[in-house]
Amino acid sequence: WADGSELIAQYNGGQMHGRATKLDEDGDVECSGCYEDGERRGRWYEVVDEYGAFFVGDVSPMDGSWTGDGIAYVYPDATSALLGQFEEGVLQSAVPAVCSGESVEVYSVSRKDV
């Protein structure tokens, strides 16, 4: 790409089909997931700001957007997260969560902690 980023993808019949990863100009992953017949499907990872926060979860099977339940917004510390429901990347409802390895665990918060 003109900006120095790179797309590594599998194609079938002229459409992206299979694993795809986009790297920025420094070689860092911007997003990664799978395509099916040219459409984003299943589990994706996508950096959403210049500080390193990212979404991880299953994208909408309808349009490949960050829409649905069980999507995590992971803060730049890669430990703290919000796990919940998003509509086209906009948070609708969530609970605090903690990232551990490749999983996101719901963090229990009682009223007295707030």
Side-chain angles (χ1 to χ4, degrees), residues 55-56 58 65-73 82-96:
F55 283 136
V56 65
D58 291 338
S65 68
W66 289 108
T67 298
D69 296 323
I71 295 172
Y73 172 87
L82 293 174
L83 180 64
Q85 181 183 23
F86 287 79
E87 182 71 35
E88 295 188 10
V90 177
L91 178 64
Q92 303 299 307
S93 64
V95 294

Side-chain angles (χ1 to χ4, degrees), residues 1-78:
W1 303 98
D3 65 0
S5 63
E6 182 180 355
L7 177 65
I8 303 165
Q10 297 173 326
Y11 287 81
N12 185 12
Q15 296 184 60
M16 281 194 271
H17 189 86
R19 196 106 188 107
T21 300
K22 184 175 182 189
L23 305 174
D24 68 15
E25 63 277 359
D26 297 322
D28 296 323
V29 176
E30 282 187 4
C31 63
S32 184
C34 286
Y35 278 88
E36 185 177 303
D37 298 322
E39 302 291 330
R40 287 171 31 138
R41 295 285 185 254
R43 177 74 35 129
W44 272 80
Y45 161 92
E46 185 172 5
V47 175
V48 295
D49 67 24
E50 67 272 17
Y51 304 108
F54 59 92
F55 283 136
V56 65
D58 291 338
V59 295
S60 168
M62 301 300 291
D63 61 6
S65 68
W66 289 108
T67 298
D69 296 323
I71 295 172
Y73 172 87
V74 181
Y75 288 92
D77 68 5

